[in-house]
């Protein structure tokens, strides 16, 4: 037996290794594989302090919860279920300088997104995006 390393019948290029081990890095460097179309990212995610983030492609909107006032039930703008004050909240999102939108969403966002599906998320994204850039002295 020899101590020299054996060569496999197949040599792998650096690009093959990146594609296999680090697919995100491969996409950043070389783009998607030919014939493979990546759908845009779409999702509603929970962030710290009760905030939510809506992501659609390269756009991001941050929803800030408002203090609950009143005792009436709320109608979720995403899944269209009517919820009590303990199950839903009112959120504020800045869409432009001095322009804000208010959205009612369920507190259990994962279950809400499941009920709404991709179509519901797309409708919500259409209401929010595109967000205009906000300067440091505007708000």
């Amino acid at each position: 037996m020899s101590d020299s390393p054996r060569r496999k019948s197949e040599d792998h290029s650096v690009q093959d290794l990146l594609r296999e081990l680090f697919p995100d890095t491969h996409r950043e460097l070389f783009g998607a594989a030919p014939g493979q179309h990546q759908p845009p990212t779409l999702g509603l995610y929970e962030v710290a302090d009760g905030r939510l983030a809506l992501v659609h492609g390269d756009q991001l909107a941050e929803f800030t919860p408002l203090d609950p006032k009143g005792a009436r039930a709320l109608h979720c703008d995403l899944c269209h279920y009517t919820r009590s004050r303990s199950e839903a909240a009112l959120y504020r999102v800045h869409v432009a300088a001095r322009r804000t939108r208010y959205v009612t969403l369920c507190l259990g966002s994962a279950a809400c997104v499941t009920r709404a599906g991709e179509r519901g998320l797309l409708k919500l994204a259409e209401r929010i995006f595109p967000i205009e850039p906000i300067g440091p002295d505007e708000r």
Side-chain angles (χ1 to χ4, degrees), residues 43-112:
L44 183 67
Y45 305 99
E46 294 181 12
V47 187
D49 302 332
R51 291 175 288 150
L52 297 174
L54 178 65
V55 179
H56 185 251
D58 60 349
Q59 303 176 89
L60 172 71
E62 186 176 297
F63 294 82
T64 307
L66 300 176
D67 291 330
K69 305 243 191 258
R72 293 188 175 193
L74 297 172
H75 181 80
C76 179
D77 291 321
L78 181 57
C79 69
H80 299 289
Y81 277 53
T82 301
R83 299 286 183 187
S84 68
R85 283 289 181 162
S86 64
E87 298 173 315
L90 190 64
Y91 292 88
R92 174 180 35 222
V93 59
H94 293 282
V95 294
R98 298 188 195 109
R99 206 165 92 208
T100 304
R101 294 242 162 103
Y102 294 91
V103 179
T104 304
L105 297 170
C106 296
L107 291 176
S109 63
C112 182

